[in-house]
Amino acid sequence: MEKERLFELIRKEEVLLFAGAGFSIYAGYPSGKELAKKMHNKLTPNQQDEIELTSNLLQVTEDIYNLKNGSKNFLIEILKKEFHKEPSNTETHNILAKIPQIKTVITTNYDDLFERTNKNLEVIRRSSDYPTIDSKKQLLFKIHGDLSDTKNIILTNSDYNNFFIENKAETVFWTAVKDRLASNHILFVGYSLEDPNIMVMFNRILRELGDHGKELFFVAPSINLSKRKFLERSKINYIESTGEDLIKEIYEDLKLNYIPGLSKGNGTADTAFNFGQLNKIDLQISKRNDTLHIGKFSSLQGLGKTEMKFNLELPDDKREGILKALNGKSFDDVILDSEIIRDFSHIFNDIRISNEENIKKLHIIKRPNIEGIFEFVFEDGFELDNYKMEAFIINPEENQYQIKINVTDFTIKIKLFINSQENNTKCNIQIYPNEKISSVKTGLNFYNIVSRIASNKSFNLFKNNKLFYNYNGKIQFEGDPLDSKFLLDYFKKLKNIEQYYNVKFSNIDCDQINENTIEKVIAYIEKRSLKVKFDGLNFINKNRDEINHILETCKDKGVFLLSENIKSTYFLHGLDFKTGYLNQIIDDAYIVNTEDLIKNITNKVEIKSRTESMKIEFSDEQDMLLKQ
């Protein structure tokens, strides 16, 4: 119960760590009791008789200090020997360095384990250090000093009293310490209640905080009943554990619960970002409705490892479709509403990013089985490089595979039906252009490939300059079943139009392909005639001379000419194209109602073509054909 409460407060960034010598024992450094013994053992036998060996380090050092006539050199040399050696282990401090949620550490230790393992610490040893600190960093108060400043190190009871009680110059330091003790819950690690100095420190902290102090937690692997009663009476929560094990548990709890808790108002953006960075994750954090939310995230060390765990309660009407998609039997993505998701956990690089409490919808997007940049080399010499493709493969039924290939602006779906008994495979291929083809180039690239495959051309497919696949015309096509040859020709004509008119087509709608229009524009560009269907022409002419001229022309030459008096304009895929004057030529024209016209029974002329066709040409000058 106490442990879970501590974890909750650390997630809220409201806990201060107060660390004693026991927290450095695992690294190979002595406890306070052991250090007192080492100092006592270094004395001469006569000096040892003069000084009582106790577990009270400050008292032992006080006695030695007095015995040495007020000199600390003897004590300092022993400290240097013990704490200048390399630590045998820093695992716990390395883990602690990944916990920015603990913003303040106070320690009575002389070693440099905290600053050695955490480059984001501001070390404060005296009042003069305090004004220049970077408030965005974690703070380490070394209330006994350390070996970087032996002049001000706290070694004896006298030092302690002078520094914290009598030394007015250091009241800024002690005020800052008291402020953090008062504004945070406190976690004590590395202390023994058998040490009388610790009891004095506890009593002083409790007295300073008064009745308004926050929660206190004391960690030790075991304590006797009387000490438990002391903790209960002092309203200090006891957690039975070693400091090393507890730090590991705190870190594991933060990895699982800190980031999801941001959406509930726990934690801060700066700490969350730092926590991500320390764990090799780049987090994008936004604020909505006074709570923090994680947007995109990525690994700072290449590809990240993602793991999702959840249970589903599937409604009957969605069960089949969802299970097919999840089991690789359909190409569909899966969209899961929060109502059907249970026990959700999304873990990225060992850090849980979200749980079911902060997820509204889960969109599972299928990853392609094959993807990359490819190069086609066909047997007829055509090559196409830097072609991006991705392929998805599913097995919806036994002896059936489906392949979906996505390229720029197009999707190809292939169904393979395998008959193992007859040792043959049937294939069905369908092509689905996007609603809008982004450019003529993408259309040309695609249909250059498909038209060659439809023409049974072999090709090699390369990826990263290595042969990826060899196709030997295994599927035999007849005719143009995919319209690939027609569409390749169409996009080639669009390219000609782009080059002639100096324009670019974009968002080409395949439903608006107009073969007649594009042929007319190309005919104008190439200055050639175009043969088109002619169903006949009816018109009224009240001018008798003109009717006689038409009758004579069709009778002698079988030619009928019709020219427009304005230049033609054609609309094609969002653009207007102005051509020349349209001239219509019927080489085998005949008049259907010749007798009626000769007899002047009617003035309606009915003209048809014996081949039901006519030629059209465009001229840059009006009535050019008639002038010839």
Side-chain angles (χ1 to χ4, degrees), residues 554-595:
C554 290
K555 176 182 177 182
D556 294 341
K557 300 179 181 179
V559 176
F560 181 80
L561 308 175
L562 183 63
S563 297
E564 294 184 355
N565 57 8
I566 59 172
K567 289 186 175 181
S568 299
T569 300
Y570 295 97
F571 181 78
L572 189 63
H573 298 300
L575 298 174
D576 286 323
F577 297 97
K578 184 169 287 189
T579 62
Y581 297 97
L582 176 62
N583 301 290
Q584 302 174 72
I585 310 163
I586 308 169
D587 290 325
D588 55 355
Y590 69 94
I591 299 175
V592 177
N593 58 341
T594 300
E595 294 299 324

mmCIF file of all heavy atoms in Angstrom, residues 554-595:
data_model
loop_
_atom_site.group_PDB
_atom_site.id
_atom_site.type_symbol
_atom_site.label_atom_id
_atom_site.label_comp_id
_atom_site.label_asym_id
_atom_site.label_seq_id
_atom_site.Cartn_x
_atom_site.Cartn_y
_atom_site.Cartn_z
ATOM 1 N N CYS A 554 -20.909 17.559 -105.882
ATOM 2 C CA CYS A 554 -21.048 16.169 -105.423
ATOM 3 C C CYS A 554 -21.181 15.209 -106.599
ATOM 4 O O CYS A 554 -20.730 14.058 -106.520
ATOM 5 C CB CYS A 554 -22.256 16.045 -104.498
ATOM 6 S SG CYS A 554 -22.015 16.862 -102.900
ATOM 7 N N LYS A 555 -21.762 15.708 -107.696
ATOM 8 C CA LYS A 555 -21.949 14.840 -108.859
ATOM 9 C C LYS A 555 -20.619 14.580 -109.551
ATOM 10 O O LYS A 555 -20.295 13.434 -109.903
ATOM 11 C CB LYS A 555 -22.928 15.494 -109.824
ATOM 12 C CG LYS A 555 -23.121 14.702 -111.113
ATOM 13 C CD LYS A 555 -24.079 15.442 -112.048
ATOM 14 C CE LYS A 555 -24.218 14.681 -113.354
ATOM 15 N NZ LYS A 555 -25.108 15.413 -114.322
ATOM 16 N N ASP A 556 -19.792 15.646 -109.759
ATOM 17 C CA ASP A 556 -18.572 15.497 -110.517
ATOM 18 C C ASP A 556 -17.410 14.925 -109.689
ATOM 19 O O ASP A 556 -16.687 14.044 -110.129
ATOM 20 C CB ASP A 556 -18.139 16.861 -111.087
ATOM 21 C CG ASP A 556 -19.143 17.361 -112.122
ATOM 22 O OD1 ASP A 556 -19.913 16.538 -112.619
ATOM 23 O OD2 ASP A 556 -19.130 18.573 -112.375
ATOM 24 N N LYS A 557 -17.231 15.449 -108.453
ATOM 25 C CA LYS A 557 -16.050 15.094 -107.653
ATOM 26 C C LYS A 557 -16.366 14.237 -106.426
ATOM 27 O O LYS A 557 -15.489 13.590 -105.875
ATOM 28 C CB LYS A 557 -15.339 16.361 -107.179
ATOM 29 C CG LYS A 557 -14.860 17.261 -108.321
ATOM 30 C CD LYS A 557 -14.193 18.514 -107.768
ATOM 31 C CE LYS A 557 -13.727 19.442 -108.878
ATOM 32 N NZ LYS A 557 -13.098 20.676 -108.326
ATOM 33 N N GLY A 558 -17.599 14.263 -105.999
ATOM 34 C CA GLY A 558 -17.968 13.553 -104.770
ATOM 35 C C GLY A 558 -17.313 14.142 -103.544
ATOM 36 O O GLY A 558 -17.099 13.456 -102.545
ATOM 37 N N VAL A 559 -16.961 15.428 -103.615
ATOM 38 C CA VAL A 559 -16.284 16.084 -102.485
ATOM 39 C C VAL A 559 -17.159 17.192 -101.942
ATOM 40 O O VAL A 559 -17.700 17.996 -102.707
ATOM 41 C CB VAL A 559 -14.926 16.672 -102.917
ATOM 42 C CG1 VAL A 559 -14.281 17.425 -101.754
ATOM 43 C CG2 VAL A 559 -14.004 15.574 -103.414
ATOM 44 N N PHE A 560 -17.251 17.207 -100.602
ATOM 45 C CA PHE A 560 -17.994 18.281 -99.947
ATOM 46 C C PHE A 560 -17.097 18.871 -98.863
ATOM 47 O O PHE A 560 -16.513 18.150 -98.054
ATOM 48 C CB PHE A 560 -19.282 17.742 -99.317
ATOM 49 C CG PHE A 560 -20.107 18.814 -98.646
ATOM 50 C CD1 PHE A 560 -20.915 19.640 -99.403
ATOM 51 C CD2 PHE A 560 -20.049 19.007 -97.265
ATOM 52 C CE1 PHE A 560 -21.670 20.628 -98.794
ATOM 53 C CE2 PHE A 560 -20.803 19.986 -96.663
ATOM 54 C CZ PHE A 560 -21.623 20.812 -97.423
ATOM 55 N N LEU A 561 -16.978 20.188 -98.874
ATOM 56 C CA LEU A 561 -16.108 20.883 -97.933
ATOM 57 C C LEU A 561 -16.940 21.785 -97.031
ATOM 58 O O LEU A 561 -17.862 22.452 -97.497
ATOM 59 C CB LEU A 561 -15.075 21.736 -98.665
ATOM 60 C CG LEU A 561 -14.242 21.038 -99.758
ATOM 61 C CD1 LEU A 561 -13.354 22.062 -100.447
ATOM 62 C CD2 LEU A 561 -13.431 19.919 -99.165
ATOM 63 N N LEU A 562 -16.545 21.803 -95.705
ATOM 64 C CA LEU A 562 -17.222 22.688 -94.773
ATOM 65 C C LEU A 562 -16.175 23.255 -93.819
ATOM 66 O O LEU A 562 -15.472 22.508 -93.148
ATOM 67 C CB LEU A 562 -18.293 21.919 -93.985
ATOM 68 C CG LEU A 562 -19.138 22.742 -93.012
ATOM 69 C CD1 LEU A 562 -19.961 23.794 -93.762
ATOM 70 C CD2 LEU A 562 -20.053 21.834 -92.200
ATOM 71 N N SER A 563 -16.042 24.589 -93.778
ATOM 72 C CA SER A 563 -15.037 25.227 -92.921
ATOM 73 C C SER A 563 -15.720 26.148 -91.923
ATOM 74 O O SER A 563 -16.692 26.834 -92.257
ATOM 75 C CB SER A 563 -14.046 26.052 -93.745
ATOM 76 O OG SER A 563 -13.314 25.219 -94.616
ATOM 77 N N GLU A 564 -15.178 26.140 -90.663
ATOM 78 C CA GLU A 564 -15.719 27.033 -89.646
ATOM 79 C C GLU A 564 -15.001 28.364 -89.711
ATOM 80 O O GLU A 564 -13.841 28.446 -90.133
ATOM 81 C CB GLU A 564 -15.552 26.408 -88.256
ATOM 82 C CG GLU A 564 -16.390 25.134 -88.074
ATOM 83 C CD GLU A 564 -16.303 24.574 -86.666
ATOM 84 O OE1 GLU A 564 -15.516 25.109 -85.859
ATOM 85 O OE2 GLU A 564 -17.021 23.595 -86.372
ATOM 86 N N ASN A 565 -15.669 29.421 -89.266
ATOM 87 C CA ASN A 565 -15.102 30.761 -89.397
ATOM 88 C C ASN A 565 -14.435 31.253 -88.104
ATOM 89 O O ASN A 565 -14.011 32.400 -88.018
ATOM 90 C CB ASN A 565 -16.164 31.764 -89.844
ATOM 91 C CG ASN A 565 -17.350 31.800 -88.887
ATOM 92 O OD1 ASN A 565 -17.307 31.183 -87.824
ATOM 93 N ND2 ASN A 565 -18.391 32.509 -89.277
ATOM 94 N N ILE A 566 -14.361 30.403 -87.046
ATOM 95 C CA ILE A 566 -13.605 30.741 -85.822
ATOM 96 C C ILE A 566 -12.746 29.532 -85.457
ATOM 97 O O ILE A 566 -13.080 28.387 -85.777
ATOM 98 C CB ILE A 566 -14.521 31.115 -84.644
ATOM 99 C CG1 ILE A 566 -15.464 29.959 -84.304
ATOM 100 C CG2 ILE A 566 -15.294 32.386 -84.932
ATOM 101 C CD1 ILE A 566 -16.269 30.191 -83.040
ATOM 102 N N LYS A 567 -11.645 29.807 -84.782
ATOM 103 C CA LYS A 567 -10.770 28.720 -84.383
ATOM 104 C C LYS A 567 -11.439 27.864 -83.298
ATOM 105 O O LYS A 567 -12.154 28.374 -82.448
ATOM 106 C CB LYS A 567 -9.434 29.260 -83.855
ATOM 107 C CG LYS A 567 -8.562 29.863 -84.954
ATOM 108 C CD LYS A 567 -7.193 30.260 -84.413
ATOM 109 C CE LYS A 567 -6.280 30.751 -85.543
ATOM 110 N NZ LYS A 567 -4.934 31.115 -85.052
ATOM 111 N N SER A 568 -11.140 26.578 -83.323
ATOM 112 C CA SER A 568 -11.764 25.640 -82.374
ATOM 113 C C SER A 568 -11.003 25.636 -81.051
ATOM 114 O O SER A 568 -9.787 25.826 -81.000
ATOM 115 C CB SER A 568 -11.768 24.223 -82.956
ATOM 116 O OG SER A 568 -12.515 24.186 -84.146
ATOM 117 N N THR A 569 -11.739 25.400 -79.968
ATOM 118 C CA THR A 569 -11.158 25.252 -78.626
ATOM 119 C C THR A 569 -11.683 23.961 -78.018
ATOM 120 O O THR A 569 -12.885 23.702 -78.039
ATOM 121 C CB THR A 569 -11.512 26.448 -77.714
ATOM 122 O OG1 THR A 569 -11.008 27.657 -78.297
ATOM 123 C CG2 THR A 569 -10.910 26.274 -76.326
ATOM 124 N N TYR A 570 -10.764 23.164 -77.450
ATOM 125 C CA TYR A 570 -11.154 21.880 -76.868
ATOM 126 C C TYR A 570 -10.726 21.837 -75.388
ATOM 127 O O TYR A 570 -9.613 22.245 -75.038
ATOM 128 C CB TYR A 570 -10.513 20.716 -77.641
ATOM 129 C CG TYR A 570 -11.004 20.621 -79.057
ATOM 130 C CD1 TYR A 570 -10.264 21.175 -80.109
ATOM 131 C CD2 TYR A 570 -12.217 20.009 -79.349
ATOM 132 C CE1 TYR A 570 -10.720 21.105 -81.401
ATOM 133 C CE2 TYR A 570 -12.675 19.941 -80.654
ATOM 134 C CZ TYR A 570 -11.929 20.487 -81.675
ATOM 135 O OH TYR A 570 -12.388 20.423 -82.968
ATOM 136 N N PHE A 571 -11.611 21.318 -74.562
ATOM 137 C CA PHE A 571 -11.361 21.206 -73.121
ATOM 138 C C PHE A 571 -10.916 19.787 -72.804
ATOM 139 O O PHE A 571 -11.578 18.816 -73.166
ATOM 140 C CB PHE A 571 -12.634 21.542 -72.343
ATOM 141 C CG PHE A 571 -12.469 21.481 -70.850
ATOM 142 C CD1 PHE A 571 -11.855 22.512 -70.160
ATOM 143 C CD2 PHE A 571 -12.923 20.376 -70.128
ATOM 144 C CE1 PHE A 571 -11.703 22.462 -68.786
ATOM 145 C CE2 PHE A 571 -12.774 20.308 -68.759
ATOM 146 C CZ PHE A 571 -12.168 21.355 -68.076
ATOM 147 N N LEU A 572 -9.772 19.670 -72.132
ATOM 148 C CA LEU A 572 -9.221 18.344 -71.853
ATOM 149 C C LEU A 572 -8.565 18.359 -70.468
ATOM 150 O O LEU A 572 -7.604 19.099 -70.237
ATOM 151 C CB LEU A 572 -8.182 17.977 -72.923
ATOM 152 C CG LEU A 572 -7.652 16.540 -72.906
ATOM 153 C CD1 LEU A 572 -8.764 15.538 -73.183
ATOM 154 C CD2 LEU A 572 -6.534 16.390 -73.943
ATOM 155 N N HIS A 573 -9.111 17.571 -69.549
ATOM 156 C CA HIS A 573 -8.562 17.397 -68.191
ATOM 157 C C HIS A 573 -8.220 18.729 -67.524
ATOM 158 O O HIS A 573 -7.114 18.950 -67.020
ATOM 159 C CB HIS A 573 -7.324 16.496 -68.230
ATOM 160 C CG HIS A 573 -7.611 15.111 -68.715
ATOM 161 N ND1 HIS A 573 -8.492 14.265 -68.083
ATOM 162 C CD2 HIS A 573 -7.154 14.432 -69.799
ATOM 163 C CE1 HIS A 573 -8.560 13.124 -68.738
ATOM 164 N NE2 HIS A 573 -7.772 13.198 -69.795
ATOM 165 N N GLY A 574 -9.211 19.607 -67.544
ATOM 166 C CA GLY A 574 -9.077 20.857 -66.807
ATOM 167 C C GLY A 574 -8.431 21.995 -67.553
ATOM 168 O O GLY A 574 -8.306 23.092 -67.005
ATOM 169 N N LEU A 575 -7.999 21.778 -68.808
ATOM 170 C CA LEU A 575 -7.332 22.838 -69.557
ATOM 171 C C LEU A 575 -8.003 23.031 -70.912
ATOM 172 O O LEU A 575 -8.519 22.083 -71.506
ATOM 173 C CB LEU A 575 -5.853 22.500 -69.769
ATOM 174 C CG LEU A 575 -4.992 22.347 -68.502
ATOM 175 C CD1 LEU A 575 -3.590 21.877 -68.879
ATOM 176 C CD2 LEU A 575 -4.912 23.652 -67.721
ATOM 177 N N ASP A 576 -7.998 24.279 -71.412
ATOM 178 C CA ASP A 576 -8.514 24.607 -72.742
ATOM 179 C C ASP A 576 -7.356 24.662 -73.732
ATOM 180 O O ASP A 576 -6.298 25.238 -73.438
ATOM 181 C CB ASP A 576 -9.220 25.958 -72.729
ATOM 182 C CG ASP A 576 -10.578 25.888 -72.034
ATOM 183 O OD1 ASP A 576 -11.264 24.865 -72.189
ATOM 184 O OD2 ASP A 576 -10.933 26.845 -71.321
ATOM 185 N N PHE A 577 -7.590 24.099 -74.953
ATOM 186 C CA PHE A 577 -6.567 24.100 -75.986
ATOM 187 C C PHE A 577 -7.159 24.665 -77.278
ATOM 188 O O PHE A 577 -8.132 24.119 -77.812
ATOM 189 C CB PHE A 577 -6.029 22.685 -76.216
ATOM 190 C CG PHE A 577 -5.350 22.120 -75.001
ATOM 191 C CD1 PHE A 577 -6.043 21.273 -74.144
ATOM 192 C CD2 PHE A 577 -4.041 22.459 -74.697
ATOM 193 C CE1 PHE A 577 -5.440 20.768 -73.012
ATOM 194 C CE2 PHE A 577 -3.426 21.947 -73.568
ATOM 195 C CZ PHE A 577 -4.121 21.108 -72.718
ATOM 196 N N LYS A 578 -6.568 25.738 -77.761
ATOM 197 C CA LYS A 578 -7.036 26.388 -78.982
ATOM 198 C C LYS A 578 -6.286 25.797 -80.164
ATOM 199 O O LYS A 578 -5.051 25.720 -80.167
ATOM 200 C CB LYS A 578 -6.819 27.889 -78.911
ATOM 201 C CG LYS A 578 -7.367 28.652 -80.114
ATOM 202 C CD LYS A 578 -7.357 30.152 -79.858
ATOM 203 C CE LYS A 578 -8.456 30.518 -78.868
ATOM 204 N NZ LYS A 578 -8.600 32.000 -78.760
ATOM 205 N N THR A 579 -7.048 25.344 -81.175
ATOM 206 C CA THR A 579 -6.467 24.795 -82.391
ATOM 207 C C THR A 579 -6.742 25.753 -83.543
ATOM 208 O O THR A 579 -7.134 26.898 -83.329
ATOM 209 C CB THR A 579 -7.060 23.412 -82.687
ATOM 210 O OG1 THR A 579 -8.469 23.539 -82.889
ATOM 211 C CG2 THR A 579 -6.805 22.453 -81.523
ATOM 212 N N GLY A 580 -6.566 25.290 -84.805
ATOM 213 C CA GLY A 580 -6.841 26.142 -85.966
ATOM 214 C C GLY A 580 -8.319 26.115 -86.350
ATOM 215 O O GLY A 580 -9.179 25.657 -85.588
ATOM 216 N N TYR A 581 -8.594 26.591 -87.575
ATOM 217 C CA TYR A 581 -9.960 26.564 -88.111
ATOM 218 C C TYR A 581 -10.283 25.142 -88.536
ATOM 219 O O TYR A 581 -9.512 24.499 -89.238
ATOM 220 C CB TYR A 581 -10.084 27.515 -89.296
ATOM 221 C CG TYR A 581 -9.841 28.963 -88.925
ATOM 222 C CD1 TYR A 581 -8.579 29.540 -89.128
ATOM 223 C CD2 TYR A 581 -10.865 29.737 -88.382
ATOM 224 C CE1 TYR A 581 -8.350 30.862 -88.785
ATOM 225 C CE2 TYR A 581 -10.639 31.064 -88.040
ATOM 226 C CZ TYR A 581 -9.380 31.623 -88.233
ATOM 227 O OH TYR A 581 -9.162 32.922 -87.887
ATOM 228 N N LEU A 582 -11.437 24.644 -88.119
ATOM 229 C CA LEU A 582 -11.824 23.270 -88.422
ATOM 230 C C LEU A 582 -12.372 23.183 -89.847
ATOM 231 O O LEU A 582 -13.292 23.917 -90.213
ATOM 232 C CB LEU A 582 -12.880 22.789 -87.428
ATOM 233 C CG LEU A 582 -13.441 21.395 -87.676
ATOM 234 C CD1 LEU A 582 -12.355 20.331 -87.579
ATOM 235 C CD2 LEU A 582 -14.574 21.098 -86.700
ATOM 236 N N ASN A 583 -11.790 22.244 -90.634
ATOM 237 C CA ASN A 583 -12.260 21.967 -91.987
ATOM 238 C C ASN A 583 -12.711 20.507 -92.062
ATOM 239 O O ASN A 583 -11.961 19.599 -91.691
ATOM 240 C CB ASN A 583 -11.133 22.197 -92.996
ATOM 241 C CG ASN A 583 -10.614 23.634 -92.938
ATOM 242 O OD1 ASN A 583 -11.291 24.562 -93.329
ATOM 243 N ND2 ASN A 583 -9.399 23.782 -92.424
ATOM 244 N N GLN A 584 -13.925 20.298 -92.517
ATOM 245 C CA GLN A 584 -14.484 18.955 -92.641
ATOM 246 C C GLN A 584 -14.556 18.583 -94.119
ATOM 247 O O GLN A 584 -15.123 19.324 -94.925
ATOM 248 C CB GLN A 584 -15.867 18.901 -92.001
ATOM 249 C CG GLN A 584 -15.844 19.303 -90.518
ATOM 250 C CD GLN A 584 -17.223 19.381 -89.920
ATOM 251 O OE1 GLN A 584 -17.856 18.360 -89.698
ATOM 252 N NE2 GLN A 584 -17.685 20.604 -89.692
ATOM 253 N N ILE A 585 -13.980 17.442 -94.482
ATOM 254 C CA ILE A 585 -13.864 17.036 -95.886
ATOM 255 C C ILE A 585 -14.492 15.662 -96.051
ATOM 256 O O ILE A 585 -14.077 14.691 -95.404
ATOM 257 C CB ILE A 585 -12.385 16.976 -96.322
ATOM 258 C CG1 ILE A 585 -11.655 18.277 -95.923
ATOM 259 C CG2 ILE A 585 -12.250 16.686 -97.798
ATOM 260 C CD1 ILE A 585 -10.162 18.158 -95.937
ATOM 261 N N ILE A 586 -15.510 15.607 -96.944
ATOM 262 C CA ILE A 586 -16.139 14.320 -97.265
ATOM 263 C C ILE A 586 -15.746 13.976 -98.696
ATOM 264 O O ILE A 586 -16.207 14.589 -99.661
ATOM 265 C CB ILE A 586 -17.668 14.403 -97.129
ATOM 266 C CG1 ILE A 586 -18.037 14.961 -95.752
ATOM 267 C CG2 ILE A 586 -18.296 13.026 -97.327
ATOM 268 C CD1 ILE A 586 -19.492 15.337 -95.617
ATOM 269 N N ASP A 587 -14.829 12.997 -98.858
ATOM 270 C CA ASP A 587 -14.303 12.660 -100.180
ATOM 271 C C ASP A 587 -15.308 11.880 -101.027
ATOM 272 O O ASP A 587 -15.236 11.918 -102.264
ATOM 273 C CB ASP A 587 -13.017 11.834 -100.051
ATOM 274 C CG ASP A 587 -11.868 12.676 -99.522
ATOM 275 O OD1 ASP A 587 -11.802 13.867 -99.870
ATOM 276 O OD2 ASP A 587 -11.060 12.137 -98.727
ATOM 277 N N ASP A 588 -16.207 11.152 -100.408
ATOM 278 C CA ASP A 588 -17.167 10.330 -101.165
ATOM 279 C C ASP A 588 -18.599 10.742 -100.832
ATOM 280 O O ASP A 588 -19.470 9.914 -100.596
ATOM 281 C CB ASP A 588 -16.944 8.835 -100.843
ATOM 282 C CG ASP A 588 -17.018 8.550 -99.352
ATOM 283 O OD1 ASP A 588 -17.151 9.519 -98.563
ATOM 284 O OD2 ASP A 588 -16.956 7.376 -98.962
ATOM 285 N N ALA A 589 -18.802 12.045 -100.856
ATOM 286 C CA ALA A 589 -20.117 12.575 -100.499
ATOM 287 C C ALA A 589 -21.136 12.315 -101.610
ATOM 288 O O ALA A 589 -20.810 12.282 -102.799
ATOM 289 C CB ALA A 589 -20.011 14.061 -100.215
ATOM 290 N N TYR A 590 -22.358 12.131 -101.211
ATOM 291 C CA TYR A 590 -23.460 12.092 -102.171
ATOM 292 C C TYR A 590 -24.690 12.686 -101.516
ATOM 293 O O TYR A 590 -24.835 12.681 -100.299
ATOM 294 C CB TYR A 590 -23.722 10.665 -102.652
ATOM 295 C CG TYR A 590 -24.297 9.730 -101.600
ATOM 296 C CD1 TYR A 590 -25.685 9.543 -101.499
ATOM 297 C CD2 TYR A 590 -23.454 9.020 -100.748
ATOM 298 C CE1 TYR A 590 -26.199 8.686 -100.547
ATOM 299 C CE2 TYR A 590 -23.960 8.161 -99.806
ATOM 300 C CZ TYR A 590 -25.337 7.995 -99.700
ATOM 301 O OH TYR A 590 -25.870 7.144 -98.756
ATOM 302 N N ILE A 591 -25.577 13.232 -102.409
ATOM 303 C CA ILE A 591 -26.797 13.875 -101.913
ATOM 304 C C ILE A 591 -27.917 12.856 -101.985
ATOM 305 O O ILE A 591 -28.224 12.294 -103.041
ATOM 306 C CB ILE A 591 -27.136 15.124 -102.738
ATOM 307 C CG1 ILE A 591 -25.980 16.137 -102.606
ATOM 308 C CG2 ILE A 591 -28.447 15.740 -102.284
ATOM 309 C CD1 ILE A 591 -26.145 17.355 -103.476
ATOM 310 N N VAL A 592 -28.528 12.636 -100.858
ATOM 311 C CA VAL A 592 -29.583 11.613 -100.768
ATOM 312 C C VAL A 592 -30.812 12.031 -101.569
ATOM 313 O O VAL A 592 -31.434 11.223 -102.267
ATOM 314 C CB VAL A 592 -29.951 11.362 -99.293
ATOM 315 C CG1 VAL A 592 -31.098 10.366 -99.172
ATOM 316 C CG2 VAL A 592 -28.740 10.893 -98.506
ATOM 317 N N ASN A 593 -31.183 13.282 -101.503
ATOM 318 C CA ASN A 593 -32.437 13.740 -102.148
ATOM 319 C C ASN A 593 -32.148 14.601 -103.385
ATOM 320 O O ASN A 593 -32.709 15.696 -103.559
ATOM 321 C CB ASN A 593 -33.290 14.516 -101.142
ATOM 322 C CG ASN A 593 -32.549 15.715 -100.554
ATOM 323 O OD1 ASN A 593 -31.331 15.778 -100.621
ATOM 324 N ND2 ASN A 593 -33.294 16.670 -100.010
ATOM 325 N N THR A 594 -31.252 14.102 -104.238
ATOM 326 C CA THR A 594 -30.855 14.862 -105.436
ATOM 327 C C THR A 594 -32.066 15.213 -106.308
ATOM 328 O O THR A 594 -32.228 16.365 -106.754
ATOM 329 C CB THR A 594 -29.843 14.048 -106.254
ATOM 330 O OG1 THR A 594 -28.694 13.804 -105.436
ATOM 331 C CG2 THR A 594 -29.426 14.776 -107.515
ATOM 332 N N GLU A 595 -32.946 14.245 -106.629
ATOM 333 C CA GLU A 595 -34.088 14.467 -107.524
ATOM 334 C C GLU A 595 -35.019 15.533 -106.984
ATOM 335 O O GLU A 595 -35.510 16.400 -107.723
ATOM 336 C CB GLU A 595 -34.849 13.149 -107.732
ATOM 337 C CG GLU A 595 -34.069 12.079 -108.481
ATOM 338 C CD GLU A 595 -33.700 12.543 -109.889
ATOM 339 O OE1 GLU A 595 -34.524 13.255 -110.523
ATOM 340 O OE2 GLU A 595 -32.583 12.230 -110.333
#
